[in-house]
Amino acid sequence: MKRVFTSIAKYIVFPMLLIVVNACDLLSPQPVDKQTDNLVLNEPGDVPQVEIGLYAAFRTIIPATVIAGDFTADMLLHNGTFSQYRELGNKQITSTNASVSTLWGAIYNTIYIANFILEKLPNVSGVSTTQRNKVMGAAHFLRGYAYFTALYTFGRVPLVLTTNIQTNLTIPRTSTDDILQQVLDDYTAALSELPKSPTNSSYAGEYAVRAAFARLHLFLGNWSQAEQYATQVIESGKYELEKDFANIVNKDQTGESILEVSYTLTDDPGTDGNIGLNNLFVGRREIIPSNEAVIALASSESGDRFQTIRFNAANLKGTDNGWSVAKYGT
């Protein structure tokens, strides 16, 4: 019997292995929530493309912040059918909220690309010192800004400082002090690397960092430091307030723009339900200014803040107050 069993076992081992392997494939599918390393940074020609990729990731943070921030501050009113905006408006936000997922994803996508640059760029030969510093500085600054946004939106978040997937899988939420220290460290590094005068305000420069320092210290209640950094920006002579507030609404990169997230007609995310501000505010009118926001704008000293909203009596119906956000175009 023993010999018979051995013979039978010899012939069934291979089929059993096939079953085990196939079962492993079924039970361990390829993950869909891991960032794949499809970025390339091996030679000087790759640097501008990676820099553009960093800014492209960063700019998604801004409209997502507008939606989440202005809704929860009662500046916006849900006027449509999308449940994600209704949840933001009534402060009953679920874990499946698409707007929240968009902001979270934008933050960590920016952080990932910044980490990639900071890991790879120092080892790429043939890159000029000026270009290397500019891109490294942007990576530090935008990573710091992303963590600043994350902290004051979500609270304690994972502090991810590498692109290593295995390391990132087990990072817990980090203390507020550690996140703040990382923001300060990134801003400090960026301050010594970024140029005083970037190509235009679509790119970060030294004074964008000083302005970010001022804002950070305002959040921390460090009034003297906030004043110090703000004064440095004001006294630089590089910026001046627009005399006509309408220019802030209708023109790009005005004289008072320190850092401005830019789009073109071909890549404006107008049809994106999560970040297409023009589509949401004007096209669908899914979101409208709240009555409180309208009253606050009407109470401005000169009344010029009304340039940011528009009224159309034809829209008056139901709970619709007839006002639309006009600040974000195509």
Side-chain angles (χ1 to χ4, degrees):
M1 286 295 294
K2 183 176 181 180
R3 285 195 299 273
V4 172
F5 177 79
T6 302
S7 298
I8 294 172
K10 180 175 67 175
Y11 290 107
I12 66 172
V13 166
F14 184 65
M16 286 294 290
L17 284 174
L18 285 177
I19 293 171
V20 171
V21 170
N22 288 335
C24 289
D25 289 340
L26 289 171
L27 297 176
S28 303
Q30 289 298 311
V32 296
D33 60 343
K34 293 181 181 178
Q35 173 71 55
T36 56
D37 193 358
N38 57 1
L39 300 171
V40 177
L41 186 50
N42 298 321
E43 57 187 38
D46 298 330
V47 177
Q49 302 305 316
V50 173
E51 181 185 23
I52 290 171
L54 174 65
Y55 280 98
F58 165 70
R59 68 182 182 173
T60 304
I61 292 176
I62 307 306
T65 303
V66 169
I67 292 171
D70 287 1
F71 250 125
T72 51
D74 295 326
M75 294 174 66
L76 297 175
L77 184 66
H78 181 226
N79 188 51
T81 58
F82 289 6
S83 61
Q84 66 202 73
Y85 307 120
R86 182 173 63 251
E87 290 177 4
L88 290 169
N90 61 24
K91 312 298 190 297
Q92 295 179 357
I93 305 168
T94 65
S95 60
T96 59
N97 187 284
S99 294
V100 174
S101 298
T102 295
L103 178 55
W104 180 273
I107 287 170
Y108 277 98
N109 192 30
T110 301
I111 289 168
Y112 178 87
I113 297 176
N115 288 342
F116 179 87
I117 290 171
L118 294 172
E119 288 173 358
K120 301 289 186 180
L121 185 52
N123 300 318
V124 179
S125 60
V127 181
S128 70
T129 300
T130 299
Q131 185 180 34
R132 191 187 306 273
N133 286 346
K134 179 168 73 80
V135 179
M136 293 281 287
H140 277 296
F141 175 57
L142 297 184
R143 183 174 69 177
Y145 191 99
Y147 273 121
F148 172 82
T149 303
L151 181 63
Y152 285 100
T153 305
F154 296 102
R156 294 169 54 238
V157 295
L159 182 59
V160 180
L161 299 175
T162 177
T163 61
N164 184 280
I165 291 176
Q166 293 306 314
T167 299
N168 293 342
L169 284 175
T170 57
I171 296 177
R173 295 171 69 190
T174 308
S175 70
T176 297
D177 288 344
D178 286 346
I179 297 291
L180 283 172
Q181 187 59 54
Q182 185 59 50
V183 175
L184 287 167
D185 289 347
D186 274 333
Y187 283 1
T188 301
L191 199 57
S192 64
E193 295 168 328
L194 286 170
K196 286 184 179 295
S197 301
T199 305
N200 55 55
S201 59
S202 293
Y203 293 92
E206 175 187 328
Y207 290 99
V209 182
R210 295 190 187 279
F213 261 124
R215 189 179 186 205
L216 175 61
H217 285 298
L218 279 176
F219 272 71
L220 295 175
N222 300 331
W223 314 123
S224 60
Q225 291 97 319
E227 181 184 14
Q228 172 192 339
Y229 282 107
T231 301
Q232 291 170 358
V233 176
I234 294 168
E235 293 183 348
S236 70
K238 294 181 177 295
Y239 314 98
E240 59 181 0
L241 295 179
E242 284 289 326
K243 295 181 175 60
D244 185 354
F245 186 80
N247 289 338
I248 303 298
V249 180
N250 299 319
K251 294 184 178 181
D252 295 331
Q253 299 181 348
T254 64
E256 67 176 66
S257 177
I258 300 171
L259 179 64
E260 186 166 319
V261 175
S262 297
Y263 300 90
T264 69
L265 289 176
T266 56
D267 65 9
D268 174 75
T271 57
D272 191 304
N274 297 319
I275 60 174
L277 298 184
N278 186 60
N279 181 45
L280 293 172
F281 290 152
V282 180
R284 290 181 52 88
R285 299 193 75 254
E286 178 79 23
I287 303 170
I288 60 177
S290 67
N291 294 327
E292 295 87 345
V294 172
I295 293 170
L297 291 169
S299 303
S300 64
E301 185 174 345
S302 63
D304 58 1
R305 268 46 176 178
F306 260 131
Q307 297 286 346
T308 62
I309 56 177
R310 299 282 188 273
F311 179 76
N312 186 344
N315 291 325
L316 283 170
K317 53 182 179 292
T319 58
D320 196 322
N321 59 19
W323 290 94
S324 300
V325 176
K327 186 176 180 181
Y328 306 100
T330 56

